[in-house]
């Protein structure tokens, strides 16, 4: 055995372990353009100059704004304008309730027609209190509300609509006070599913502040006489 090997056996602390030299895996390589995006966003808030963000890709900006959507008040994000739209739409599609809630809050301070369908999806399907939050957001803006009612009326007559969505759709139309929902609701009084018929009756009572029973003929006569009323 050489003197060097005998020395290393007696003095193992002197052994220097060398790891094989390998290039870093791709998943750990930082994407070019990610560095400094948070600082650039902060600078944009101070200057309102688009040039502060021009060196970053749209995807990098959107990803950073998605994180801010959960951690900042909705009104603080308004200056980002069109950059927020994609971040909010992704927030709506998320399975994370906190992100959906944050997206709903932003839609409440910056209404956009693109937000109507995702808001209605939450207003119909989400658990409480998110469902009520989405409903109240839609009700707060006339533009959103008009488009929402159009979408809901189509939902009522679509053959592919589930009974649960049809019931909740009727409830929303009544709460939103949509007069154009009167005839579709009257038609649903004769639905073979009695739970649908009962919901239609309750929706008509809420919408009109009248109770003419569950017969379609009575409601149809009343509707014909009341066409010129608000």
């Amino acid at each position: 055995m050489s003197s060097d090997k005998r020395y290393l056996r007696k003095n193992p602390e002197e052994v220097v372990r060398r790891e094989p030299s390998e290039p870093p895996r791709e998943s750990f390589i930082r994407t070019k353009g990610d560095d400094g995006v948070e600082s650039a966003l902060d600078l944009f808030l101070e200057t309102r100059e688009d040039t502060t963000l021009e060196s970053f890709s749209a995807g990098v900006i959107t990803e950073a704004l998605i994180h801010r959507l959960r951690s900042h008040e909705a009104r603080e994000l308004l200056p980002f304008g069109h950059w927020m739209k994609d971040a909010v739409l992704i927030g709506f599609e998320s399975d994370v309730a906190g992100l959906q809630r944050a997206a709903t809050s932003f839609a409440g301070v910056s209404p956009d027609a693109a937000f109507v369908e995702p808001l209605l999806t939450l207003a119909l399907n989400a658990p409480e209190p998110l469902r009520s939050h989405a409903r109240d957001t839609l009700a707060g803006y006339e533009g959103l509300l008009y488009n929402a009612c159009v979408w809901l009326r189509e939902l009522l007559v679509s053959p592919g609509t589930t009974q649960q969505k049809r019931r909740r759709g009727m409830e929303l139309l009544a709460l939103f006070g949509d007069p154009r929902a009167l005839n579709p609701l009257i038609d649903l009084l004769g639905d073979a599913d009695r739970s649908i018929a009962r919901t239609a009756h309750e929706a008509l009572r809420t919408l009109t502040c009248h109770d003419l029973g569950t017969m379609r003929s009575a409601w149809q006569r009343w509707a014909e006489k009341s066409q010129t009323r608000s």
Side-chain angles (χ1 to χ4, degrees), residues 7 19 31 38 59 67 70-71 75 140 146 152 167 175 185 188 191 215 221-222 225 228:
Y7 174 79
E19 297 293 337
T31 304
E38 291 294 340
H67 290 297
R70 290 192 66 181
S71 59
R75 291 191 179 278
Y146 176 84
L152 285 169
R167 286 193 296 270
L175 288 172
L185 289 173
L188 287 170
D191 196 273
M215 300 298 293
R221 286 194 298 272
W222 179 86
K225 293 179 182 178
T228 58

Side-chain angles (χ1 to χ4, degrees), residues 18-169:
R18 296 183 181 275
E19 297 293 337
S21 178
E22 296 179 356
R25 286 184 292 173
E26 185 177 351
S27 59
F28 291 101
I29 298 176
R30 193 173 183 82
T31 304
K32 186 177 181 180
D34 286 359
D35 293 329
V37 65
E38 291 294 340
S39 298
L41 291 174
D42 290 335
L43 182 59
F44 174 82
L45 289 177
E46 295 177 10
T47 64
R48 300 295 199 274
E49 294 181 2
D50 291 350
T51 54
T52 59
L53 298 174
E54 64 184 7
S55 61
F56 301 94
S57 70
V60 169
I61 295 172
T62 298
E63 185 177 353
L65 290 176
I66 290 171
H67 290 297
R68 292 199 174 204
L69 188 61
R70 290 192 66 181
S71 59
H72 290 63
E73 291 293 328
R75 291 191 179 278
E76 296 177 22
L77 302 174
L78 288 176
F80 292 111
H82 67 278
W83 283 301
M84 281 302 303
K85 185 173 180 177
D86 285 343
V88 172
L89 290 174
I90 291 172
F92 277 125
E93 294 174 359
S94 169
D95 293 330
V96 180
L99 196 52
Q100 291 176 321
R101 186 163 48 250
T104 301
S105 295
F106 185 86
V109 297
S110 182
D112 188 296
F115 300 154
V116 170
E117 188 168 341
L119 280 170
L120 278 169
T121 298
L122 293 180
L124 290 168
N125 304 320
E128 293 289 5
L130 180 56
R131 181 148 53 97
S132 292
H133 186 25
R135 180 196 66 204
D136 294 342
T137 299
L138 286 166
Y141 288 90
E142 185 175 348
L144 289 178
L145 188 58
Y146 176 84
N147 288 298
C149 289
V150 171
W151 195 87
L152 285 169
R153 291 198 304 273
E154 292 175 354
L155 188 75
L156 291 190
V157 299
S158 172
T161 303
T162 66
Q163 298 298 65
Q164 182 187 59
K165 284 186 179 180
R166 189 169 276 112
R167 286 193 296 270
R168 289 181 177 176

